[in-house]
Every structure is written in C-alpha cells, then in structure tokens.
Amino acid sequence: MPIKWVLHWQPNVGTSVNSQILNEVSQCVESINGVKEGRWKATLTFYKPMLRDQSLAAEFPRDFLGILIPEQPNKYYFVIRAQRIVLESDSSIQTIMEKLQSYKMRVALNFEGFQYQLGDFQLRVGKVVPTHSENLRGIVMEVEYLPVSSIEKSRQIMEEFLDIWQASLSKRSLPGHFMHVEPNFTEYGLPDHYSSQHTAVQYANVMAQLIASVQSVQSMRN
C-alpha cells in the first residue's frame, strides 16, 4: 500500500478555520496542476461504554475511536491512543456493537472533500464536520506517494514535496499552515511497510491535534 501522510490545518494564534481557507487550499492544489478526480470521505466515531454501574467508567478508555476509511470500505478500524492499540476488523462489527449495546456512539465526524492527482502523488483535501452538520471543525490533507510503501524510504521525497507545497501555499498569505505530526508507529506494533492501520492511527492523531487546537483557542478567549 502506498505511503500516506495525514496533515491538519493549524490556524495562527487568534484565528480559526473557515470555508474560505478550504477554498484557497483547493485552488492552490489546482494551481500546481493537481487534477481533480472526485470526492472522498472518511468517518471517525468516538464511542463510550454503555455502563449500568457508572463507577466503572474509569476502567474504560476515554478515547475509543472507530475509523472508516475510503480505500478499505469493507474494514473498520479501532484505535485507543492512550494504550497505543490499533485493530482492524470487518465493517459488520459496527452492527454487532449496536446489537450488543456494549458501546454507543458519542459523536461522529466526517472528513470529506476532493481528491487530486499530481504526478506520482495523490492529494485529498477536506473539511472536518460533525455528521448531520456543516459546522466546520477543521481542515485535513492527505498526501499519498504512490510508488513507495516504505515509511523510511519515502521520508525524504515526502518532505521535499511538502516544502514545495508549503512554499506554494504561503503565497496566498493564509492565517495558518498545514502540520504533519507523525505518530510513533512502532508503539502500535506497526512495521515500516505502510498499511491502512497506519492511516487509522494518523487520523486518531490528527483528531487529537484538532481537539487540542480548539481547546487552546477557547482557553485564550476565557
């Protein structure tokens, strides 16, 4: 599977994300000859345990995430960041969980937008919104390098591509920048050879970064 980096938009201090930034980012991809190929969508769900005895709540993970990614529509991924656990299961597990009533959905977020081809790279630019809402919570970008599946062997070319991309985007003087915070995949027991489990871990990581940036903005306002 091709190597992929998932980045999130980090607003400048005192600013927030908006649809105009998303439009500018999409236009920037097209300005460097990115060819629009269609739409994409990933979904991340926060689960909470269904407990009869609330005193047991502390024994269950707070950040229990389920992730559905477009390249693996028949699979479902669970990530518990605190314990560095990632699991791949059949997508039918969602129905099983509903019937067992062991966990229920706390909140679900869609990552959705457009996909672009740019030589050997595939870019996906999208918004982060709660399901059944258009309330923009963040902006994400996937950068996929199609010829290589080794994380280490692709690192230099990915960094060089991002340098070019950031230089192009900086000409638009937007109030923020894209950030790539790579998880320590070995902590999750994942090898150098890239897989969809790596993608799931990256989405969980990006979600944590988005929550942290929202919380920092709120604390500044307070």
Side-chain angles (χ1 to χ4, degrees), residues 18-27 125-127 136 139:
N18 58 61
S19 57
Q20 180 59 35
I21 294 171
L22 182 62
N23 292 337
E24 291 269 5
V25 171
S26 299
Q27 289 169 19
V125 176
K127 59 186 177 181
L136 188 68
I139 298 170

Side-chain angles (χ1 to χ4, degrees), residues 96-173:
I96 294 168
M97 287 173 70
E98 283 179 24
K99 288 181 177 176
L100 289 175
Q101 294 192 330
S102 54
Y103 283 86
K104 73 173 182 178
M105 184 181 81
R106 196 168 79 212
V107 64
L109 295 154
N110 290 331
F111 297 70
E112 55 186 340
F114 287 101
Q115 180 172 301
Y116 302 85
Q117 195 75 28
L118 188 61
D120 285 335
F121 290 90
Q122 195 167 64
L123 305 185
R124 292 184 174 117
V125 176
K127 59 186 177 181
V128 184
V129 291
T131 52
H132 317 302
S133 168
E134 285 300 312
N135 188 5
L136 188 68
R137 296 295 173 87
I139 298 170
V140 294
M141 183 173 76
E142 288 188 8
V143 179
E144 195 169 18
Y145 183 55
L146 302 173
V148 177
S149 58
S150 163
I151 295 171
E152 287 307 318
K153 288 179 182 174
S154 64
R155 191 176 303 281
Q156 183 178 349
I157 194 163
M158 292 290 274
E159 289 173 349
E160 288 172 355
F161 176 83
L162 278 188
D163 286 344
I164 295 167
W165 163 253
Q166 301 281 30
S168 178
L169 193 61
S170 67
K171 295 173 184 174
R172 295 176 179 259
S173 302

Side-chain angles (χ1 to χ4, degrees), residues 14-15 28 40 42 47 64 129 138-139 144 156 165 172 175 184 196 212:
T15 68
C28 189
W40 68 279
Y47 288 101
F64 181 37
V129 291
I139 298 170
E144 195 169 18
Q156 183 178 349
W165 163 253
R172 295 176 179 259
N184 187 338
S196 295

